Amino acid sequence: MVDDHGVDALVRQWTQERSQDAEAEEINRIASTWLAEGPVTVSQPGIPGQRSKGGAKSFTAVQSADPRYLDAMSRRLPGVPQELISAAAGYWQMVGGLAEAEQWWDAGISPLDQRALDYRAAGLVPSDLSRRLGPLTVLEHLRRGSAPAWCVARLQRQQRNGVA
């Protein structure tokens, strides 16, 4: 993973929140038993576009994330739970292509760090992260808590003044 302690802490917190303790296992067992005793419905809900060729009563499973994104993230993030990778991949595929996501990763932003989407929305591009604003790079400023809009404004000012 990228050397960002915030992302490592996020992965640890996410894994801990989803770990099963004895109480959660008992709740799941009771809920499963209760649902199993309920009436069985003949048709499943779904969007008509999801239906497979079997007619109205047969649906195909919808994947939440493009398998290409999942493969790329799994290679870059070994050991991260698949659910977390799937959630992050879903966000990335909504905003851009896989090539752009990989550029962000190569520039130093982990694919699990959803702040990159905020940086992108503010107008930053992956190549901006290595540019200098005074003694620090843009990425260093962002990691220290500077607002993405402030970094964009400083970069534009440098370009306007001919410094960049």
Side-chain angles (χ1 to χ4, degrees), residues 100-161:
E100 181 184 356
E102 288 180 333
Q103 289 173 353
W104 281 99
W105 302 337
D106 293 339
I109 299 292
S110 168
L112 299 177
D113 191 346
Q114 297 303 304
R115 293 175 295 185
L117 301 176
D118 296 332
Y119 304 160
R120 184 182 186 274
L124 291 171
V125 295
S127 61
D128 289 338
L129 299 181
S130 62
R131 292 179 56 193
R132 290 198 135 335
L133 294 175
L136 302 175
T137 64
V138 171
L139 182 58
E140 290 168 334
H141 276 286
L142 292 170
R143 286 191 174 153
R144 289 181 177 207
S146 296
W150 177 84
C151 294
V152 169
R154 289 281 310 266
L155 288 169
Q156 288 173 344
R157 189 175 328 134
Q158 278 184 352
Q159 188 174 18
R160 194 173 46 244
N161 294 337

Side-chain angles (χ1 to χ4, degrees), residues 14-57:
W14 189 90
T15 304
Q16 181 182 9
E17 288 173 355
R18 280 149 186 81
S19 65
Q20 295 290 327
D21 57 0
E23 184 178 350
E25 288 176 11
E26 179 67 12
I27 290 169
N28 289 337
R29 187 190 62 74
I30 292 170
S32 296
T33 304
W34 181 76
L35 289 172
E37 294 172 356
V40 177
T41 58
V42 176
S43 65
Q44 296 175 335
I47 300 168
Q50 294 175 275
R51 294 184 181 138
S52 66
K53 296 178 184 171
K57 294 182 180 169

